[in-house]
């Protein structure tokens, strides 16, 4: 795929979604996830993938992966080598691909996000090579599976397409950044279609990492609760088939929704903590609205980053109030991390999928775990299942390293 | 007419802490000395190439963001600062919107290993000081903080071909008006795990550490700066024949003497695979990693720095950089010298290129030089 550098990119094409797949602790189908998010049913359970007996937190939202899965064009042996994270990405991609009705090609960009790739394979590699430096059985496989770009390569091989693969690792904003980056490519005419999404699997290393920072809740994830005490981790994947409106109409594809805005900024305040006034979050939300040509009043639902940590929720609440101005009290906000936890590199993509569900079916996912709303929330925190009429949803994702990203999706009528 | 130009570059490598050191080492052509790196549980150490210590930038090490950071982040920030140069003030004031793309494959592997060792011993006491620096975008965050860049900032993770992806991303931002300038930085650290991994695939590879940076602007063709002329993104990984076909397709018909900057590293098995994609290349070749070592994405950035320096030295009017991939060539990047630029003949002059021409350049003379 040659990258044109000859002329300024000025086209502003409409970018629609013609396929979407999602895998979370609620299940691997659109219907299971929609039902779970609509009801706000928390999907947390004791961690079984690794020992958390000596950690403060004990819960996570694990995906009940099937024992076998359709491996497409991969051999049985190649499929058996796939890391847990790669399998999550494969399931979500297969669903999006099937729904899109796309044909394979050698020139399809695949832009995905993750924060840890095949970390469990990396952990296994390390334990094995330390135990016996001369035992090389499966070491090469483990090393390959550990690398984040291996998963999308395997998925592309399983489905049978080729093209440039980009893996974005912008911490917890990665998923939104990947979708936004893909949106840019189609919008600017760099590609007519792009497959994009995010994936992350639970791993002992990352679980222990967040626990070491005392960021994990020893109780439950309660975003925007006055007594919130941390986040809970989850795992999963979401993938979207994006293409121009013209291309989708030309082939008579069903259009699920549209990405209309994307804003991003970098918070320089601290490596892990947001600026208390939410400056960078405000910048991302403002930029997203500007790119979409919409105002805060037109947004019908905000899927907040809402991790349930004291610092993030305070800063984000402040940012939302500053962004919404006079319309703040009427802004309907919830964080679906109260249901499936924080999916890290997959969060932005999965939460965009939730916005898509909510737009298509006209309901607002609730924060059912929040007991006492923090007084800093001057907006309408959705705490019970609610039907709603709205055309625009905004999704926030903020991460370590000051990565801030906001997406705006529109219902396609 | 405007083009994407290389307005600055930076490097931290086993040759030293700037792009000039890298370029001079590559021009000298001699593999740099190696050091022994002990590997726990193995009597024989690994041979590696480390960045010379101590770091000459004491002010950098004292920056609050870098006090606890991995060596990877220090390399990345140092290279970034060198590349951006005097434009740093404009970035900090907000006058210049800088888009940053950081590339890495191994990321903060040394800290990751140390943190995981702590987890295995007792997860309740694993160090919270280490974990935040293990995230892939920590170096990109430090770059942004030191430069004061609040805008677009991506971290791409993958093999050496990510540098081509990063250049394409930065270029797109500028062409679309989302950024006034782009900074592409690639960095890799060195841990015994890195060398341990290499031995599984190719013996004789000498792992190295460091960073490379390219600072891009979208500006008038008349400026005497090398131009980022084309980028070829890989259609599929591990397609060895693709490299030559793509490069030749993108070349000007007169550029038969174009220089190929390949990714051979001085390890015969790996180099054979890399060479296979470039069989039949008609022009001269440059293999900087044979001098510097195998440093994954940082190596690809070093190739770009060496390539741009080759343009400045007048070695060619066009250079095709082929970032390596253990499974075959991974796309490519084409740089060309502007028609009005010619390298300084003075051997003591800094390598790279001046922001302003030091003397009047005759286009006709330059063309004649290309053909000799």
């Amino acid at each position: 795929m040659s990258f044109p550098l000859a002329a300024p990119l000025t086209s502003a094409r409409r970018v629609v979604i013609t396929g979407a797949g999602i895998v979370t602790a609620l299940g691997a189908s659109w219907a299971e996830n929609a039902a779970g998010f609509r009801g706000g049913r928390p999907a947390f359970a004791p961690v079984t993938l690794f020992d958390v007996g000596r950690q403060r937190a004990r819960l996570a939202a694990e995906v009940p992966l099937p024992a076998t899965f359709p491996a497409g064009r991969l051999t049985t042996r190649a499929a058996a080598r796939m890391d847990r994270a790669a399998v999550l990405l494969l399931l979500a991609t297969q669903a999006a691909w099937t729904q899109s009705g796309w044909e394979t090609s050698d020139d399809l960009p695949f832009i995905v996000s993750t924060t840890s790739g095949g970390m469990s394979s990396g952990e296994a590699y390390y334990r094995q090579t330390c135990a016996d430096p001369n035992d090389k059985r499966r070491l090469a496989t483990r090393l390959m599976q550990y690398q984040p770009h291996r998963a999308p390569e395997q998925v592309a091989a399983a489905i049978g397409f080729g093209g440039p693969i980009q893996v974005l690792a912008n911490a917890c904003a990665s998923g939104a950044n990947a979708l936004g980056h893909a949106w840019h490519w189609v919008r600017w005419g760099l590609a007519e279609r792009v497959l994009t999404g995010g994936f992350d699997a639970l791993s002992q290393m990352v679980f222990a990492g967040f626990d070491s920072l005392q960021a994990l809740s020893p109780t439950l994830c309660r975003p925007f609760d006055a007594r919130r005490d941390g986040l809970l981790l989850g795992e999963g994947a979401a993938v979207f088939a994006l293409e121009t409106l013209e291309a989708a109409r030309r082939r008579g594809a069903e259009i699920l929704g549209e990405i209309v805005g994307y804003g991003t900024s970098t918070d320089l305040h601290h490596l892990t903590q947001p600026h208390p006034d939410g400056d960078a979050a405000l910048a991302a939300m403002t930029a997203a609205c500007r790119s979409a040509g919409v105002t805060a009043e037109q947004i019908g639902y905000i899927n907040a980053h809402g991790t349930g940590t004291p610092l993030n929720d305070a800063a984000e609440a402040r940012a939302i109030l500053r962004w919404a101005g006079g319309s703040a009290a009427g802004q309907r906000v919830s964080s679906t991390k109260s249901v499936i936890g924080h999916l890290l590199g997959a969060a932005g993509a999965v939460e965009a999928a939730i916005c898509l569900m909510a737009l298509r079916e006209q309901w607002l996912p609730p924060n059912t775990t929040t007991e006492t709303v923090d007084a800093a929330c001057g907006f309408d925190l959705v705490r019970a299942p609610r039907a709603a009429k709205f055309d625009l949803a905004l999704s926030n994702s903020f991460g370590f390293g000051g990565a801030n990203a906001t997406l705006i999706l529109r219902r396609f009528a | 007419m405007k083009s994407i130009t290389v307005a600055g570059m930076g490097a931290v490598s086993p040759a030293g802490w700037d792009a000039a050191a890298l370029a001079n080492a590559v021009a000298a052509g001699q593999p740099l000395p190696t050091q022994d790196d002990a590997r726990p549980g193995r009597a024989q150490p690994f041979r590696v190439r480390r960045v010379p210590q101590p770091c000459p930038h004491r002010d950098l090490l004292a920056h609050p963001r870098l006090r606890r950071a991995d060596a990877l982040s220090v390399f990345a920030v140092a290279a970034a600062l060198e590349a951006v140069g005097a434009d740093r003030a404009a970035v900090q004031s907000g006058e210049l919107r800088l888009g940053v793309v950081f590339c890495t494959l191994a990321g903060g592997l040394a800290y990751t290993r140390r943190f995981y060792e702590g987890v295995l011993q007792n997860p309740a006491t694993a160090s919270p000081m280490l974990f935040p620096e293990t995230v892939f975008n920590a170096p990109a965050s430090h770059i942004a903080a030191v430069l004061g860049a609040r805008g677009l900032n991506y971290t791409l993770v993958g093999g050496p071909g990510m540098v081509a992806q990063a250049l394409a991303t930065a270029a797109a931002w500028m062409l679309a008006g989302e950024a006034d300038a782009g900074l592409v930085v690639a960095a890799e650290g060195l841990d015994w795990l890195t060398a341990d991994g290499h031995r599984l695939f190719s013996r004789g590879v000498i792992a190295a550490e460091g960073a490379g940076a390219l600072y891009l602007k979208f500006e008038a063709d008349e400026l005497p700066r090398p131009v980022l002329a084309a980028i070829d993104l890989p259609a599929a990984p591990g397609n060895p024949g693709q490299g030559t076909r793509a490069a030749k397709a993108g070349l000007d018909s007169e550029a038969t003497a174009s220089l190929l900057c390949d990714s051979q590293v001085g390890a015969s098995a790996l180099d054979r695979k890399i060479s296979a994609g470039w069989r039949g290349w008609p022009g001269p070749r440059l293999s900087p990693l044979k001098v510097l070592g195998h440093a994954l994405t940082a190596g690809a950035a070093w190739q770009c720095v060496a390539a741009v320096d080759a343009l400045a030295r007048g070695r060619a009017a066009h250079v095709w950089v082929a970032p390596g991939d253990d499974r075959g060539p991974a796309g490519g990047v084409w740089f060309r010298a502007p028609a009005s630029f010619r390298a300084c003949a003075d051997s003591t002059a800094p390598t790279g290129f001046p922001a302003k021409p030091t003397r009047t350049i005759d286009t006709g003379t330059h063309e004649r030089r290309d053909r000799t």
Side-chain angles (χ1 to χ4, degrees):
Chain A
M1 177 184 178
S2 290
F3 188 83
L5 296 173
L9 307 171
T10 56
S11 63
R13 308 189 300 182
R14 287 178 67 179
V15 183
V16 296
I17 302 165
T18 54
I22 180 172
V23 180
T24 71
L26 293 172
S29 73
W30 190 266
E32 286 171 302
N33 278 277
F37 290 121
R38 186 168 190 169
R41 171 174 56 85
F44 303 108
V47 175
T48 65
L49 291 172
F50 39 84
D51 178 18
V52 295
R54 288 177 290 177
Q55 313 269 199
R56 293 169 65 248
R58 304 294 174 90
L59 303 179
E62 286 183 9
V63 172
L65 271 186
T68 59
F69 53 87
R73 300 183 189 201
L74 290 178
T75 62
T76 307
R77 195 170 164 193
R81 288 196 205 115
M82 291 180 81
D83 184 85
R84 183 179 179 85
V87 175
L88 293 171
L89 181 63
L90 176 64
L91 293 173
T93 308
Q94 284 173 330
W97 185 270
T98 302
Q99 187 171 38
S100 71
W102 281 355
E103 294 180 0
T104 63
S105 88
D106 281 336
D107 205 17
L108 173 62
F110 192 17
I111 298 175
V112 296
S113 65
T114 187
T115 59
S116 59
M119 180 61 78
S120 55
S121 294
E123 292 169 352
Y125 176 99
Y126 180 75
R127 290 194 303 269
Q128 179 183 338
T129 200
C130 284
D132 184 354
N134 296 314
D135 178 8
K136 293 185 191 172
R137 291 168 303 155
R138 299 195 62 204
L139 268 190
T141 295
R142 287 185 164 143
L143 179 59
M144 291 301 296
Q145 294 302 326
Y146 167 58
Q147 295 171 44
H149 59 284
R150 188 71 188 127
E153 286 177 354
Q154 290 171 312
V155 170
I159 292 178
F161 67 87
I165 290 174
Q166 290 194 20
V167 179
L168 270 81
N170 268 27
C172 310
S174 299
N177 282 130
L179 264 60
H181 185 44
W183 179 71
H184 274 159
W185 272 51
V186 178
R187 181 174 167 82
W188 293 339
L190 297 170
E192 189 156 86
R193 57 178 190 160
V194 176
L195 200 57
T196 183
F199 69 105
D200 249 329
L202 286 167
S203 68
Q204 184 182 30
M205 155 93 188
V206 174
F207 193 97
F210 278 94
D211 207 44
S212 74
L213 296 173
Q214 301 200 359
L216 295 184
S217 168
T219 58
L220 203 60
C221 177
R222 289 169 286 140
F224 302 110
D225 189 298
R227 290 189 295 268
R228 61 189 183 273
D229 58 7
L231 61 94
L232 287 177
L233 292 174
E235 60 179 2
V239 173
F240 297 82
L242 301 187
E243 59 187 298
T244 63
L245 176 61
E246 293 74 22
R249 282 185 166 150
R250 206 159 49 229
R251 64 187 189 90
E254 181 189 2
I255 296 171
L256 306 177
E258 186 176 359
I259 297 179
V260 296
Y262 169 53
T264 178
S265 65
T266 303
D267 190 338
L268 307 185
H269 178 69
H270 189 271
L271 184 59
T272 59
Q273 295 169 14
H275 191 285
D277 288 337
D279 288 352
L282 173 64
M285 296 173 75
T286 304
C289 284
R290 187 168 54 241
S291 69
V294 303
T295 62
E297 290 79 8
Q298 293 173 275
I299 300 295
Y301 165 66
I302 297 173
N303 184 288
H305 186 57
T307 56
T309 62
L311 291 180
N312 173 81
D313 292 6
E316 186 173 11
R318 180 97 185 94
I320 291 172
L321 296 181
R322 293 170 67 193
W323 163 80
S327 70
Q331 287 291 343
R332 300 177 294 195
V333 181
S334 72
S335 169
T336 43
K337 292 182 175 71
S338 59
V339 174
I340 53 167
H342 193 346
L343 269 59
L344 304 179
V350 166
E351 289 158 19
I354 297 167
C355 287
L356 189 64
M357 286 172 186
L359 283 163
R360 281 176 63 78
E361 298 170 25
Q362 299 285 277
W363 45 256
L364 303 178
N367 256 43
T368 55
T369 57
T370 302
E371 294 168 356
T372 309
V373 181
D374 191 327
C377 299
F379 42 75
D380 175 9
L381 187 67
V382 180
R383 297 167 59 197
R386 196 192 302 183
K389 230 174 131 40
F390 65 110
D391 291 326
L392 289 165
L394 180 148
S395 180
N396 279 335
S397 295
F398 310 136
F400 278 8
N404 282 234
T406 297
L407 290 167
I408 297 178
L409 288 85
R410 179 163 58 206
R411 188 168 75 97
F412 193 85
Chain B
M1 192 158 142
K2 295 172 84 170
S3 298
I4 304 283
T5 66
V6 183
M9 54 187 190
V12 178
S13 71
W17 284 81
D18 56 35
L22 181 152
N24 289 337
V26 170
Q30 291 303 309
L32 291 168
T34 60
Q35 297 83 40
D36 286 343
D37 220 29
R39 194 265 194 234
R42 192 168 179 260
Q44 193 179 0
F46 292 122
R47 281 193 311 149
V48 299
R49 290 199 178 102
R50 288 199 173 275
V51 171
Q53 295 294 335
C55 169
H57 308 298
R58 290 191 170 190
D59 53 337
L60 197 63
L61 296 178
H63 194 285
R65 275 298 200 109
L66 295 179
R67 279 196 226 117
R68 297 191 193 117
D70 200 346
L72 169 80
S73 288
V74 177
F75 299 155
V77 173
L81 286 174
E82 183 187 4
V84 174
D87 276 0
R88 182 180 176 187
V91 175
Q92 281 183 323
S93 70
E95 182 192 333
L96 190 145
R97 296 171 304 155
L98 181 68
V100 177
V101 188
F102 174 70
C103 306
T104 189
L105 174 57
L109 188 58
Y111 274 29
T112 301
R113 174 184 56 74
R114 286 169 56 188
F115 182 78
Y116 190 55
E117 280 173 358
V119 171
L120 292 177
Q121 285 163 15
N122 183 358
T125 58
S127 171
M129 309 277 273
L130 293 174
F131 180 68
E133 297 287 349
T134 68
V135 297
F136 280 116
N137 66 321
S141 175
H142 296 319
I143 290 169
V146 173
L147 285 175
R150 297 172 187 275
L152 286 156
N153 187 315
Y154 288 173
T155 291
L156 301 183
V157 185
M162 281 305 107
V163 172
Q165 305 265 14
L167 290 167
T169 299
W173 288 340
M174 286 186 278
L175 293 171
E178 295 285 320
D180 301 317
L183 177 65
V184 171
V185 184
E188 303 287 348
L190 198 54
D191 188 79
W192 65 259
L193 275 174
T194 322
D196 199 56
H198 279 304
R199 75 183 172 113
L200 297 173
F201 297 97
S202 185
R203 296 197 177 271
V205 165
I206 298 176
E209 60 179 5
L214 291 178
Y215 176 50
L216 307 176
K217 285 184 152 177
F218 186 43
E219 44 190 19
D221 276 352
E222 289 73 43
L223 285 175
R225 297 210 227 265
V227 171
L228 177 59
I231 302 170
D232 198 69
L233 302 179
N239 187 357
Q242 172 214 329
T244 309
R245 282 197 297 274
K248 284 185 173 173
L251 288 177
D252 186 89
S253 60
E254 293 181 1
T256 53
S258 291
L259 180 66
L260 169 66
C261 185
D262 68 25
S263 59
Q264 292 187 81
V265 295
S268 49
L270 186 55
D271 287 353
R272 266 197 301 275
K273 275 192 219 174
I274 292 167
S275 291
W278 300 103
R279 206 173 292 120
W281 178 265
R285 300 190 186 203
L286 180 66
S287 305
L289 303 186
K290 287 184 176 177
V291 172
L292 302 167
H294 190 5
L296 306 170
T297 62
W302 292 342
Q303 285 176 259
C304 290
V305 170
V308 172
D309 178 70
L311 291 175
R313 289 176 191 252
R315 280 195 63 174
H318 306 82
V319 184
W320 183 269
V321 176
D325 184 301
D326 285 358
R327 288 157 295 148
V333 184
W334 179 28
F335 296 99
R336 65 172 167 80
S340 61
F341 181 80
R342 188 170 62 181
C344 295
D346 181 358
S347 61
T348 61
T351 57
F353 40 85
K356 294 178 184 172
T358 54
R359 58 185 179 192
T360 303
I361 306 297
D362 180 346
T363 303
T365 304
H366 182 247
E367 286 176 351
R368 282 196 292 278
R369 175 177 287 222
D370 282 347
R371 290 187 190 125
T372 58

